[in-house]
Amino acid sequence: MKQVRCPNCGFFCQKYGKTRYDLQRWHCKQCKFTFINSYDKTIQSFQSFLKWLFGKGTQKGMVGQGRSFRRHTTMFWDYWALPPKVEMPSKVIYVDGIYLARKACILIACNDTYVLGWYLCRYENARAWEALLNRIAAPIVVVTDGGTGFHKAVKKAWPKTKLQRCIFHAFQQVKRYTTTRPKTIAGVELYGIAKELFHIKTQEDARSWVQSISAWKIKHRKFLAETTTDDNGTIRPKHERLLKAENSLNILVRNGNLFTYLNDAFDFKCPSTNNRIEGGINAQLRAVLRNHRGMTIERRIKAVFWWCYMHSPNPLSLKEILEVMPTNKSISTIYNTMNERSKLEASISTWGDAIVWSDLHFYDKSFNSSWD
């Protein structure tokens, strides 16, 4: 039988009768402390909550259709799983954003093994990306799908990191303009050039591919120069979608972000696509949300947070998580405190800014000031 230790001094205790509710009483001979060793089921309930959240089971299939489960686990929806600060640099980091609603996006960063960070924002922008990257040690290469504002953020947060644009997303961007069945010869040829991205293995292949884009533009110069007039009388390019598709590739080539994975200076195999985060993380998160569809937007966000945290490098134990992680109440308290402080600072001058002119200048003739 497991021996019970005294919560006061830590020595072993002995049985000391029972209470009127038939609960075992314990007594410590060392400090003369008597207590009841009650069993806390909070950790067990938290474990059941996470198991349900990451699994496919439904509450309707539980005993009592999940009423007992909800009663014991509702409290855990108040917690927020915050990301750790990653100080161990990785060679390659993958980043992407997953939208949970029209104005709710979670930016995620990971390496080949763990989720390194996540950040909640309304939409992808440079400020949100920078907030995510600042908590993660700079890698050698970062692979991205070209999210809005990421290029600006990575220059500021990770200035020495090489950027690799996912070639699959580069191809997808061209396909959106040309479609899979282009109706013009120029569109068919450009779509074929974009598909060749998946077959580039050497620097020589990359140079030949870039030359093929230049040759395509020269070949169809007259065709691409055709214009048309819209209903407002504005002259526009007739084949604007083809020009946008070609320009999307030219920008990547000009910035040097398309063939970073062919750099011979790397002592590791650099990936050319963002498949690690798309299939390994985003697909898993969508499965969690699909298995428990019907949750509010706040609970969907917390579900993604919990999944990311439990797949981070060194997650805390369940007991430590409940002691450390903030709750809705604690965050609301901090917010209200900061809000009141900002109002106070707006109404009262801060230290060093509240000097009154009359404190340094005297106009009483009876007072002699030699320095005024």
Side-chain angles (χ1 to χ4, degrees):
M1 185 181 70
K2 183 178 179 181
Q3 291 181 301
V4 177
R5 289 182 178 271
C6 176
N8 190 26
C9 62
F11 281 82
F12 292 111
C13 303
Q14 64 179 9
K15 292 182 179 181
Y16 199 67
K18 293 187 177 182
T19 65
R20 60 176 179 173
Y21 300 106
D22 200 30
L23 299 177
Q24 183 64 57
R25 188 187 291 115
W26 298 87
H27 178 71
C28 177
K29 291 184 176 181
Q30 184 70 21
C31 63
K32 310 301 182 182
F33 182 64
T34 303
F35 63 96
I36 298 173
N37 188 28
S38 58
Y39 178 70
D40 188 5
K41 294 184 178 181
T42 305
I43 304 302
Q44 183 180 354
S45 300
F46 187 33
Q47 189 174 11
S48 300
F49 170 76
L50 294 178
K51 184 179 180 181
W52 165 81
L53 186 62
F54 301 152
K56 297 181 179 180
T58 62
Q59 296 183 16
K60 189 175 181 180
M62 299 179 180
V63 178
Q65 295 187 346
R67 286 188 291 271
S68 298
F69 173 81
R70 288 190 292 273
R71 185 171 64 254
H72 295 142
T73 61
T74 300
M75 59 176 294
F76 304 121
W77 284 116
D78 291 337
Y79 288 85
W80 289 88
L82 299 184
K85 187 171 183 179
V86 180
E87 299 179 350
M88 182 67 67
S90 303
K91 292 183 177 181
V92 181
I93 286 181
Y94 311 83
V95 296
D96 195 13
I98 178 172
Y99 280 86
L100 306 182
R102 186 176 181 180
K103 291 186 178 181
C105 176
I106 298 180
L107 309 179
I108 301 175
C110 72
N111 57 15
D112 291 324
T113 310
Y114 300 108
V115 178
L116 302 179
W118 52 96
Y119 185 82
L120 175 64
C121 58
R122 289 185 178 273
Y123 54 89
E124 296 181 57
N125 57 74
R127 186 184 302 174
W129 280 118
E130 188 178 348
L132 171 67
L133 303 184
N134 282 334
R135 295 186 59 84
I136 305 174
I140 300 175
V141 178
V142 58
V143 185
T144 175
D145 63 351
T148 306
F150 181 78
H151 192 269
K152 179 181 177 181
V154 77
K155 276 187 174 181
K156 192 172 182 179
W158 297 340
K160 296 183 179 179
T161 299
K162 301 292 184 180
L163 185 63
Q164 169 63 49
R165 175 67 183 273
C166 176
I167 60 174
F168 177 77
H169 285 88
F171 164 74
Q172 287 290 101
Q173 190 169 0
V174 174
K175 190 176 74 171
R176 279 195 294 268
Y177 292 122
T178 63
T179 71
T180 57
R181 295 181 179 180
K183 296 181 179 180
T184 62
I185 297 177
V188 171
E189 292 181 0
L190 184 60
Y191 180 71
I193 292 174
K195 288 181 68 175
E196 289 298 321
L197 278 173
F198 300 107
H199 305 291
I200 296 176
K201 304 298 181 183
T202 63
Q203 292 282 2
E204 184 63 30
D205 295 340
R207 284 190 288 268
S208 299
W209 184 84
V210 174
Q211 291 174 1
S212 65
I213 294 182
S214 301
W216 176 86
K217 189 172 184 179
I218 295 173
K219 179 181 178 181
H220 301 284
R221 179 181 301 173
K222 292 183 179 180
F223 177 76
L224 297 175
E226 295 178 1
T227 58
T228 184
T229 305
D230 59 14
D231 297 336
N232 298 325
T234 304
I235 299 176
R236 303 175 61 88
K238 187 175 182 180
H239 310 287
E240 188 174 6
R241 294 178 65 85
L242 281 179
L243 292 173
K244 288 183 178 180
E246 184 257 345
N247 189 48
S248 68
L249 296 176
N250 284 336
I251 291 176
L252 294 177
V253 173
R254 195 182 310 124
N255 294 337
N257 301 331
L258 195 57
F259 301 115
T260 305
Y261 69 98
L262 298 176
N263 194 335
D264 297 330
F266 297 148
D267 59 350
F268 58 93
K269 185 177 180 181
C270 181
S272 60
T273 63
N274 218 10
N275 292 344
R276 163 69 182 101
I277 193 169
E278 289 286 354
I281 295 179
N282 288 354
Q284 303 298 323
L285 292 175
R286 291 189 179 96
V288 169
L289 299 176
R290 184 170 58 252
N291 292 332
H292 306 297
R293 54 185 176 273
M295 294 188 296
T296 62
I297 181 60
E298 180 180 340
R299 290 194 174 186
R300 275 182 278 168
I301 292 171
K302 290 182 178 180
V304 172
F305 277 26
W306 279 122
W307 192 96
C308 290
Y309 181 79
M310 299 310 295
H311 291 82
S312 60
N314 295 300
L316 300 173
S317 65
L318 300 184
K319 182 179 180 180
E320 292 173 325
I321 288 175
L322 297 179
E323 294 175 352
V324 173
M325 292 301 175
T327 61
N328 292 340
K329 184 178 180 180
S330 61
I331 293 177
S332 179
T333 302
I334 295 173
Y335 177 80
N336 292 333
T337 302
M338 298 300 294
N339 191 30
E340 292 176 1
R341 184 178 299 175
S342 63
K343 290 180 180 179
L344 184 65
E345 291 176 353
S347 60
I348 301 177
S349 300
T350 57
W351 178 261
D353 297 330
I355 300 176
V356 182
W357 181 261
S358 59
D359 291 343
L360 300 178
H361 298 77
F362 298 91
Y363 297 97
D364 189 355
K365 294 182 179 180
S366 62
F367 182 83
N368 183 16
S369 177
S370 59
W371 55 270
D372 192 351

